[in-house]
Amino acid sequence: MPRYLSIIHIDESSAPAGGPSEELMRRMGELIEEVTKAGVMLDTAGLTPSAQGTTMHWKDGKISVTDGPFTEAKEVIGGYALMQCKDKAEALEWTKRFLQVHEPFWTVSCEVREVAEG
């Protein structure tokens, strides 16, 4: 079965300063348990804020390094989910359910891509 990576993009300006609420974490935990029991979830995790990140860029044979925060970024990668699904429609359905556990004030999007098998 194909694997799909759901790359979670968040607008850090709409996220609460204290992080996700206990209620959101409870709902997310329930969904992750359901996806795992269904045999779909291979791995998932959230990421620390972009202020704690570093970007390395390769151009013209040289590496440049920039430490966060990255003020020019409107959205940042907030996490990921690696799922094994029968098809893209199933991956999109699980991703839709993930988005729906968030409170309305969050701005979250997910880019779902099939993993290219070598």
Side-chain angles (χ1 to χ4, degrees):
M1 285 199 318
R3 294 179 300 157
Y4 294 88
L5 181 64
S6 180
I7 304 164
I8 303 158
H9 298 267
I10 64 167
D11 177 348
E12 287 184 314
S13 69
S14 74
S21 67
E22 287 184 31
E23 177 62 17
L24 171 57
M25 294 307 293
R26 182 191 64 74
R27 289 192 310 266
M28 196 169 307
E30 290 172 354
L31 178 61
I32 290 170
E33 183 178 343
E34 182 181 351
V35 177
T36 302
K37 284 182 179 176
V40 170
M41 186 65 72
L42 299 176
D43 191 25
T44 188
L47 301 175
T48 58
S50 67
Q52 298 173 21
T54 299
T55 296
M56 298 183 77
H57 186 77
W58 175 258
K59 182 178 179 181
D60 298 327
K62 295 181 182 176
I63 292 177
S64 62
V65 178
T66 307
D67 290 325
F70 309 108
T71 55
E72 69 279 358
K74 289 186 83 174
E75 288 187 335
V76 299
I77 298 174
Y80 69 93
L82 181 61
M83 303 174 286
Q84 190 162 28
C85 302
K86 63 183 176 194
D87 56 25
K88 188 173 184 178
E90 181 183 16
L92 292 174
E93 183 58 34
W94 285 114
T95 300
K96 176 179 149 184
R97 291 186 57 197
F98 166 78
L99 289 170
Q100 291 172 326
V101 301
H102 290 80
E103 293 98 348
F105 55 83
W106 284 85
T107 301
V108 183
S109 61
C110 292
E111 177 184 350
V112 178
R113 296 172 59 185
E114 186 172 346
V115 175
E117 302 295 343

